Amino acid sequence: MNKPLLFLFFLTFKLFFSQLDNTHYLQPIIFGIYNANTITEEYIYLSTPTITNITVNVRMADGVTIPRLSVYNINAATSTIVTNGTVTFSNTTPVRLSIVNASNTVLTPGTSPITIATTRAGTIIPANIGGLIFQSTDEFFVNYRGQSDSQAGSALTKGKIALGKTFFWGGTPTELTTTVTEVGNMVSIMATENNTVVTISNIKAGTEFINGTNSTPITGTSLTRTLQKGQSFVLYAKVKSGVLSMQDKGWLGAKITSDKNIAVTVGGLMQQGDIDTGTTTPNRDFAVDQLVPVEQLGNEYVVMQGNGGAYEKVIVIATEANTTVSLNGNTGVNYTLASAGNYATIPATFFTNKNMYIKTNKSVYVFHKIYGAAALNTNSFMFIPPLSCFGQSSVNMIPDAKQIGDTVYGNTELAVLAAAGAANEPVVTLNGSVVVSPITGGSNIAVPGNPNWRSYRYNIAAATGRNLRISSAGTIQAELIGASGAAGFGGYYSGFGTAPIVTIDVGSSPTTTRPCTGTTGTSSLALSTTPGLGAYQWYKNGAAISGATNSTYTIPLTDATPAEYNVIVTPPGGCLIYSNVVKSYACPCYKPGATGTPEITKIGISTRAEKSAANWPADVNNAFLALESNDKGLVITRIPDPETSITEPVDGMIVFDTDEVCLKIYDGTQWTRINQTCN
């Protein structure tokens, strides 16, 4: 027989600077009831590193409808009404946008294209009503900020790398009971092409979502909607008054897939409660951030703590089964996430000098529940980018860094993560000339378990100036947190999608996405690399393969055990670049059938107009039941993660696992993948 020879041969090299881009998508979002206790003002800030004027075209999500804008020049403190959707600004003249009506009155939250009415949750939102698109020939930042006397929030759009087909719903679970019923968690999904089929799966049974004006909620462990270009679909899970329930976390880790590119934003009005006493309180604040698809994630993260002390938490969400999480250089495993969508809540005790290092064996989403001040009602969350040696060396610039609208946040701080080395110490300025020095004890802070990075902290509120710039000789990431009384906000700048993406492709295999191994076939794993990218190490089931340090690796002929393979590339600077994981299986064999007298098949089901043979189904031997059709196949139950989805499996139950893309059978003890073998 011919033995299949498998080649895994591509290194996909993508280098993006997220957040700074020439195209941005802002999905419509929901924050419950819109009043002084939630949100009363909202703005869109535009800035660019370009010295000369650039032009940005603002459109509704349909790409055609032009919103009426009030454009505020931050430095000149002047406003202009723009009716053609064209906004002009430069590095030295950042602007702040508000959406206005025909009478030039600013649209209030809940009535604008940005924050829509809660009664639209669970419905398909027309492209000319909710969501915005920003386009230019030059690169720029888009920063959404909202506030009231009691709440505040901020989020940067991620540019074109926000588009993808697979995401996981992230955020932070509600921890304690509340009587504030508008508290809840949201996901907003926008289509970029017509006839986009979106599925949200792995929702925990019992979770309820607002269903427009219908009093009957949307329920189910999986939901599917078809969206046209620019249309959005928003799910909002409101808490239940006075009790903890599935509403608080049943949505967390849900998988979001589509057949065409979508943009996804998560957040909501977050409840905090009184952690110290465990009693019900109205403490809350809102948070929002835009996601990137799973292929833009990584395996190494540094989280910089805010001002919440022991109240802060980090949530890590697995995108693949059997994900391990190790903290602060621990050579062992702190958490194991058995299934895609499972999450770990890491307490603040793992912060060392306000830094936490996270390393995983597979790509994960990381969210940080952060506080602008010690007060419990200043909480927010940030979607944290992975470490990269190929990221931005500057953030130029953050306009009105310590305020939202006219409200100044007196506790505004900046935390910067920079590559180690004196030459890489960040330079922070306000208004282009006022140099801000790190706070006492806040310079060159070591990251536990990773000597390649250092953090720095700055008191922005105490410095003179409004527009913030950060630069370094090396790669940086920056987070801005602020608080004023009961309101707090946070925003993360730079980092996503900046590392090369190492991808293993499969060729010459019976299964195009998986290699097979064993005595009836063999696979060669190979990468075509850019010279000088770094050193290689191949792994099997998470363990380094001895001697496998080249760009190619051949699986031994005698190794028929199904396994997971990946390669890690270490470029100069110490960052780790992880490839995707490929799962092998035993190569199929083809032996002649058993000899002897066959048993006649007596029962058959057919969709044909007439039998395929006069003796059918008796001519199909050794079966209990025979099926035949000219154009139909047998599809068994399709379900993600049967290990948790099916609570009471029985011996012999067979399903198709849509997460691992394989058939599985329950043997009375566990679910096992069905692979063809030689008998």
Side-chain angles (χ1 to χ4, degrees), residues 456-677:
Y456 300 78
R457 294 177 181 268
Y458 306 83
N459 185 347
I460 300 302
T464 302
R466 300 173 62 169
N467 301 324
L468 177 66
R469 293 177 174 84
I470 312 156
S471 63
S472 171
T475 300
I476 60 170
Q477 295 178 2
E479 68 181 26
L480 195 66
I481 56 173
S484 175
F489 73 93
Y492 214 100
Y493 295 79
S494 75
F496 283 103
T498 55
I501 300 175
V502 179
T503 302
I504 301 174
D505 292 333
V506 180
S508 302
S509 169
T511 304
T512 58
T513 58
R514 295 175 58 201
C516 76
T517 65
T519 55
T520 61
T522 186
S523 296
S524 295
L525 310 183
L527 295 175
S528 174
T529 67
T530 300
L533 184 61
Y536 303 90
Q537 177 61 62
W538 288 88
Y539 289 79
K540 176 184 177 180
N541 291 333
I545 303 172
S546 178
T549 56
N550 298 317
S551 60
T552 62
Y553 172 68
T554 300
I555 301 174
L557 186 68
T558 56
D559 190 352
T561 305
E564 294 183 341
Y565 292 89
N566 69 292
V567 64
I568 298 177
V569 184
T570 305
C575 294
L576 300 180
I577 305 172
Y578 289 70
S579 75
N580 60 315
V581 176
V582 294
K583 300 178 181 180
S584 70
Y585 66 104
C587 292
C589 67
Y590 305 93
K591 287 186 175 182
T595 59
T597 303
E599 182 178 341
I600 296 174
T601 301
K602 300 177 181 179
I603 302 174
I605 299 175
S606 176
T607 63
R608 290 176 172 173
E610 57 185 38
K611 294 190 295 184
S612 58
N615 237 359
W616 188 88
D619 62 336
V620 182
N621 297 322
N622 300 321
F624 172 76
L625 173 68
L627 306 177
E628 71 169 2
S629 175
N630 288 327
D631 57 359
K632 302 291 190 300
L634 171 66
V635 179
I636 67 171
T637 301
R638 298 168 55 85
I639 189 170
D641 193 17
E643 289 83 356
T644 57
S645 300
I646 302 177
T647 57
E648 296 183 5
V650 297
D651 293 6
M653 181 179 285
I654 298 176
V655 299
F656 182 83
D657 187 328
T658 56
D659 278 339
E660 298 192 30
V661 195
C662 67
L663 290 171
K664 285 186 176 179
I665 186 169
Y666 188 72
D667 63 6
T669 303
Q670 63 182 358
W671 287 96
T672 304
R673 184 192 300 268
I674 299 176
N675 289 319
Q676 183 176 354
T677 61

Side-chain angles (χ1 to χ4, degrees), residues 401-452:
K402 51 190 172 185
Q403 63 188 76
I404 300 177
D406 295 327
T407 301
V408 177
Y409 290 77
N411 290 327
T412 303
E413 291 186 7
L414 172 71
V416 181
L417 183 69
N424 296 322
E425 181 171 347
V427 176
V428 177
T429 61
L430 282 165
N431 285 12
S433 59
V434 179
V435 178
V436 184
S437 299
I439 62 176
T440 302
S443 177
N444 199 32
I445 306 171
V447 173
N450 191 327
N452 298 311

Side-chain angles (χ1 to χ4, degrees), residues 74-226:
I74 292 172
N75 292 339
T78 57
S79 295
T80 304
I81 298 299
V82 172
T83 59
N84 63 357
T86 300
V87 181
T88 301
F89 58 97
S90 70
N91 179 257
T92 57
T93 59
V95 295
R96 187 183 79 200
L97 309 183
S98 298
I99 314 296
V100 299
N101 61 18
S103 301
N104 297 332
T105 301
V106 174
L107 297 179
T108 57
T111 67
S112 79
I114 315 166
T115 47
I116 57 172
T118 305
T119 52
R120 287 195 178 274
T123 70
I124 293 177
I125 300 160
N128 63 344
I129 291 178
L132 295 169
I133 300 175
F134 304 80
Q135 292 179 306
S136 176
T137 57
D138 300 280
E139 294 182 328
F140 59 101
F141 295 101
V142 176
N143 181 198
Y144 168 81
R145 302 181 203 173
Q147 72 98 37
S148 69
D149 290 342
S150 303
Q151 325 296 342
S154 171
L156 267 82
T157 56
K158 304 297 189 293
K160 292 189 291 293
I161 70 160
L163 302 183
K165 299 177 182 178
T166 304
F167 304 77
F168 282 80
W169 189 343
T172 64
T174 301
E175 298 176 274
L176 297 168
T177 59
T178 179
T179 56
V180 182
T181 55
E182 69 264 25
V183 166
N185 284 274
M186 169 213 73
V187 64
S188 178
I189 302 165
M190 178 192 289
T192 62
E193 298 181 55
N194 285 332
N195 301 314
T196 299
V197 180
V198 178
T199 299
I200 305 100
S201 60
N202 198 35
I203 303 168
K204 301 300 184 294
T207 309
E208 299 178 350
F209 302 102
I210 293 175
N211 188 13
T213 58
N214 193 324
S215 59
T216 302
I218 296 173
T219 59
T221 58
S222 181
L223 305 171
T224 298
R225 297 292 187 275
T226 299

